[in-house]
């Protein structure tokens, strides 16, 4: 038997247990306890070192390809690129000529053994368009020099510089003409600038080496024109610009830099700060033609 005091103690303990269960929820009976809200501090991102593209996720553009300057190696100094004997149609004038490389894309013409029975001074020059004997010339060409007047023995050697002609083979004719100062007392056919002899020049200029080697890779949207001439080795030599062509497209078609295209065509017109191409223009693609 419990005493009255013991019963009161047991009842008090039961009431306390009931209160504790009410305060802690119903977990003891299979219910789901209410979660306690938690507050977390967001992590501070670690700074990425400048330029560390792999860690920052930012990719950099590739560096542009360097522009390689085009080069053209001159014909070695002392190389004889043309030579021959000259005799006027009437046999009044004779001399020997030869053209020699100076090693810097210029050439010198040398004249020896000059004799003449013509009663006026005689000069010689190189022209790109051959005239006819008896014509009068108005343009004194390239390398113009006076050889001398009437002789009784071969005159001293003389020479002239052809200048920066680069590739001299465009000069097709060696022209001997009268350099009389006036027509006074001179037969009409020996008057000033009358042509006395015309000789075709046979050139044998070695091919100059270059680091620019155009190859036709076929038309593209920026270069749909036609190759109109090729070199002896079959490389493209000239290209005719078509409608819609652009320097970048032309350079891409022939596997060269845009700077190379401008170098090959120094006479292209310039707009603002760069050269431009127009439909119908014939572009040079052969370094040795410069």
């Amino acid at each position: 038997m419990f005493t009255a005091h013991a019963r009161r103690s047991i009842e008090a303990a039961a009431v306390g247990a009931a209160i504790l269960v009410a305060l802690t929820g119903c977990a003891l009976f299979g219910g789901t306890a209410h979660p306690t809200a938690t507050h977390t501090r967001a992590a501070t991102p670690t700074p990425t070192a400048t330029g560390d593209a792999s860690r920052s996720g930012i990719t950099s553009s590739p560096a542009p390809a360097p522009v390689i300057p085009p080069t053209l190696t001159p014909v070695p100094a002392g190389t004889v690129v043309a030579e021959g004997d000259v005799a006027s149609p009437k046999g009044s004038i004779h001399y020997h000529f030869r053209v020699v490389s100076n090693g810097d894309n210029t050439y010198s013409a040398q004249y020896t053994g000059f004799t003449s029975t013509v009663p006026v001074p005689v000069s010689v020059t190189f022209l790109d368009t051959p005239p006819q004997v008896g014509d009068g010339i108005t343009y004194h060409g390239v390398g113009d020099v006076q050889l001398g007047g009437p002789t009784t023995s071969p005159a001293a050697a003389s020479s002239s510089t052809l200048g920066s002609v680069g590739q001299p083979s465009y000069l097709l004719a060696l022209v001997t003409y009268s350099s009389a100062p006036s027509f006074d007392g001179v037969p009409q056919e020996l008057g000033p600038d009358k042509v006395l002899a015309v000789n075709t020049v046979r050139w044998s200029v070695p091919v100059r080496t270059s680091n620019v080697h155009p190859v036709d890779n076929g038309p593209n949207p920026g270069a749909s024109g036609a190759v109109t001439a090729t070199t002896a080795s079959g490389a493209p030599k000239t290209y005719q610009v078509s409608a819609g062509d652009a320097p970048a497209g032309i350079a891409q078609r022939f596997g060269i830099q845009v700077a190379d295209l401008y170098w090959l065509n120094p006479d292209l017109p310039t707009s603002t700060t760069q050269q431009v191409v127009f439909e119908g223009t014939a572009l040079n693609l052969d370094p040795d033609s410069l």
Side-chain angles (χ1 to χ4, degrees):
M1 293 293 292
F2 295 104
T3 63
H5 177 72
R7 283 198 302 273
R8 285 195 296 272
S9 296
I10 293 171
E11 290 171 358
V15 172
I19 293 172
L20 179 61
V21 170
L23 290 175
T24 57
C26 304
L28 295 177
F29 300 96
T32 303
H34 297 287
T36 302
T38 57
H39 299 278
T40 58
R41 185 175 179 179
T44 302
T46 302
T48 302
T50 303
D52 188 351
S54 62
R55 295 183 64 187
S56 67
I58 301 173
T59 57
S60 59
S61 300
V67 176
I68 302 172
T71 60
L72 183 62
T73 303
V75 174
T79 303
V80 177
V81 297
E83 189 167 17
D85 291 310
V86 173
S88 62
K90 294 183 178 181
S92 304
I93 300 168
H94 294 84
Y95 62 90
H96 181 81
F97 80 93
R98 70 175 190 164
V99 181
V100 180
S101 170
N102 296 323
D104 58 358
N105 283 324
T106 67
Y107 297 84
S108 292
Q110 303 170 348
Y111 305 98
T112 56
F114 172 73
T115 61
S116 172
T117 58
V118 175
V120 295
V122 172
S123 293
V124 63
T125 190
F126 289 87
L127 292 176
D128 57 349
T129 303
Q132 299 291 322
V133 172
D135 288 348
I137 61 172
T138 56
Y139 168 58
H140 285 189
V142 176
D144 182 64
V145 65
Q146 188 177 106
L147 299 182
T151 63
T152 55
S153 60
S158 57
S159 65
S160 65
T161 300
L162 304 190
S164 299
V165 295
Q167 173 55 267
S169 58
Y170 76 97
L171 298 169
L172 302 179
L174 180 65
V175 178
T176 308
Y177 67 95
S178 166
S179 51
S182 70
F183 280 99
D184 293 344
V186 176
Q188 181 72 25
E189 64 273 16
L190 297 179
D193 296 327
K194 285 292 185 177
V195 176
L196 305 177
V198 179
N199 288 77
T200 299
V201 181
R202 310 295 181 185
W203 296 99
S204 57
V205 185
V207 175
R208 293 168 291 169
T209 59
S210 173
N211 63 349
V212 178
H213 304 285
V215 175
D216 190 1
N217 295 303
N220 66 49
S224 58
V227 172
T228 54
T230 58
T231 66
S233 65
K237 184 173 184 177
T238 58
Y239 169 79
Q240 186 163 347
V241 177
S242 182
D245 282 5
I250 297 170
Q252 181 183 30
R253 172 171 174 172
F254 294 102
I256 59 177
Q257 304 172 129
V258 174
D260 297 336
L261 183 67
Y262 293 153
W263 173 70
L264 289 166
N265 297 274
D267 295 330
L268 285 176
T270 301
S271 174
T272 311
T273 58
Q274 63 181 8
Q275 291 162 295
V276 295
V277 296
F278 294 99
E279 181 180 359
T281 300
L283 295 179
N284 173 50
L285 296 174
D286 178 24
D288 195 49
S289 294
L290 293 175

